[in-house]
Amino acid sequence: MIIPPSRERARPSPVAVVVTVYNKAPYARDCIESVLTQTYAPVELVVVDDGSTDGSWDIVQSATLGTDVTLLRLSNGGVSRARNLGFEACRTKPEYVLFLDADDVLLPDALQTMVVHLNEHPVAALCYSVPLLIDEDGTSLGIDQDRVRWASTRYGRRKIADSELETPLEAIWSRFRAIPSSSLIRCSAFRKTTGWDSYLCRPHRPFHAEDKDMTIQLALTGEIHRLDNPTVKYRQLPTAHQNSLYEGLLAVDRKWWNAPLGRDTRRKVRSAIRFDSFVVILQASEELRTALLAGSVRDSIAGSRQLLRSILRWIGLPIRLRINP
């Protein structure tokens, strides 16, 4: 009788969490503890202080005392640089990495949930979840009202059902919420990117668009999957003016429209940018139709102007994006 050798248990996939801190003293401890108490192991934690001036560094040291956490203290250079240096500082060879903002809090089984998904879907470069929103004091604001994911059709657009895992490139370009704290990235895909773009965030620019840019980079290496169950408490703090948000999205469009890409990739990228602009036209059309049905002359005039502006923007898209800021 031949007794087969016992099978070794599959080793869990190593995960790294890079926490970036900049003047987040009231929240840093809760953030770090949410990583250290994860139900999943092994987890390598790297905390990067990006030149905080509010005592965050003292809290980081206190919260990680007696652990094997890697700590980096930098002069202020922006979150993109901090994330890139944090990833480079990993002592292990992680299979997955999550970039966590210091004012957010992981749910206890966050990494377990996302690692299982990526292990089961090797075509995915990233999986993300719809977050739970909290305010400055940590009070729950409910689940984020996830913006509709739009997919292109032959004659327009369609809503992507929540049951559909993949978020295609055109949906990422159109009204996509890219929250790093709720995203687990496959490291082999991340290494194919150019890293977090320091020129799409502060202090180089008065906005933050590096998160959307990273999701685009990853979408060109593999699939982007949306999970239904929340994995993070996302803290809503006062944000920049709406104009800054618009300028950030325009900067991403301009970067990718003019990027030196292969023919097929360039076609996909420009098609996604055009689709996003087309979605704006459709939205303006719906708002005008609502105003006309309501019989509001004032809203109808405003809606007509908005529709005309969106059409002209769509027509002039190539010219507008070729102009350097």
Side-chain angles (χ1 to χ4, degrees):
M1 179 180 179
I2 299 176
I3 301 177
S6 60
R7 295 182 178 177
E8 292 185 4
R9 289 186 177 181
R11 293 183 179 180
S13 304
V15 176
V17 177
V18 176
V19 174
T20 48
V21 185
Y22 177 65
N23 290 346
K24 291 294 188 296
Y27 317 117
R29 182 178 297 276
D30 287 345
C31 174
I32 291 171
E33 290 180 351
S34 76
V35 179
L36 296 176
T37 57
Q38 283 292 298
T39 59
Y40 184 86
V43 177
E44 178 182 7
L45 175 57
V46 179
V47 183
V48 185
D49 184 279
D50 189 34
S52 295
T53 58
D54 68 341
S56 291
W57 178 246
D58 294 334
I59 292 174
V60 167
Q61 289 182 304
S62 173
T64 58
L65 187 65
T67 70
D68 62 350
V69 175
T70 298
L71 302 182
L72 295 180
R73 193 179 190 187
L74 311 173
S75 59
N76 182 248
V79 68
S80 287
R81 187 190 68 151
R83 288 170 180 160
N84 290 332
L85 292 177
F87 182 74
E88 291 176 10
C90 289
R91 291 176 281 110
T92 62
K93 293 183 179 180
E95 187 172 347
Y96 305 117
V97 60
L98 186 144
F99 295 93
L100 182 63
D101 293 335
D103 53 353
D104 298 331
V105 178
L106 289 180
L107 297 180
D109 60 349
L111 295 180
Q112 175 70 27
T113 299
M114 291 190 283
V115 167
V116 167
H117 181 85
L118 288 183
N119 281 344
E120 293 177 349
H121 299 84
V123 296
L126 174 153
C127 68
Y128 70 98
S129 68
V130 179
L132 292 171
L133 302 180
I134 57 176
D135 64 13
E136 294 179 76
D137 300 321
T139 303
S140 177
L141 302 175
I143 296 179
D144 185 22
Q145 298 300 312
D146 196 23
R147 296 187 182 186
V148 175
R149 294 183 297 166
W150 295 112
S152 60
T153 63
R154 185 173 183 179
Y155 299 109
R157 62 178 180 173
R158 71 173 180 87
K159 290 183 180 180
I160 300 176
D162 289 348
S163 58
E164 296 182 58
L165 278 176
E166 185 177 1
T167 300
L169 187 63
E170 64 262 30
I172 293 170
W173 236 288
S174 182
R175 308 297 184 269
F176 177 73
R177 287 185 184 271
I179 301 176
S181 294
S182 68
S183 305
L184 188 65
I185 301 171
R186 193 180 301 277
C187 289
S188 59
F190 182 73
R191 292 188 181 96
K192 294 177 183 178
T193 72
T194 58
W196 297 88
D197 193 334
S198 293
Y199 292 93
L200 288 174
C201 65
R202 297 178 185 272
H204 296 285
R205 298 290 188 92
F207 50 73
H208 279 278
E210 81 291 338
D211 45 8
K212 182 171 181 176
D213 173 73
M214 175 52 65
T215 310
I216 291 168
Q217 290 192 63
L218 291 167
L220 295 174
T221 72
E223 294 182 359
I224 306 298
H225 286 187
R226 175 189 181 277
L227 307 182
D228 281 332
N229 296 325
T231 59
V232 70
K233 293 180 181 179
Y234 177 73
R235 199 177 304 271
Q236 285 196 320
L237 299 174
T239 56
H241 190 271
Q242 184 68 24
N243 187 58
S244 295
L245 174 62
Y246 172 77
E247 290 299 323
L249 298 178
L250 179 60
V252 171
D253 287 352
R254 183 175 286 118
K255 169 185 174 176
W256 284 97
W257 188 273
N258 298 294
L261 305 171
R263 183 174 60 181
D264 290 343
T265 302
R266 183 172 62 248
R267 177 184 56 79
K268 291 178 182 178
V269 164
R270 292 191 174 185
S271 176
I273 295 174
R274 289 190 180 97
F275 175 69
D276 178 38
S277 187
F278 179 58
V279 167
V280 174
I281 294 177
L282 295 179
Q283 184 65 38
S285 300
E286 292 175 0
E287 292 176 0
L288 174 59
R289 179 175 179 273
T290 299
L292 291 172
L293 291 176
S296 172
V297 176
R298 181 176 180 179
D299 290 344
S300 297
I301 294 175
S304 298
R305 290 174 177 172
Q306 178 61 29
L307 178 58
L308 179 59
R309 282 196 296 266
S310 62
I311 293 174
L312 292 176
R313 187 181 296 120
W314 178 75
I315 294 173
L317 192 66
I319 298 175
R320 183 168 63 101
L321 294 183
R322 288 194 185 106
I323 299 174
N324 292 323

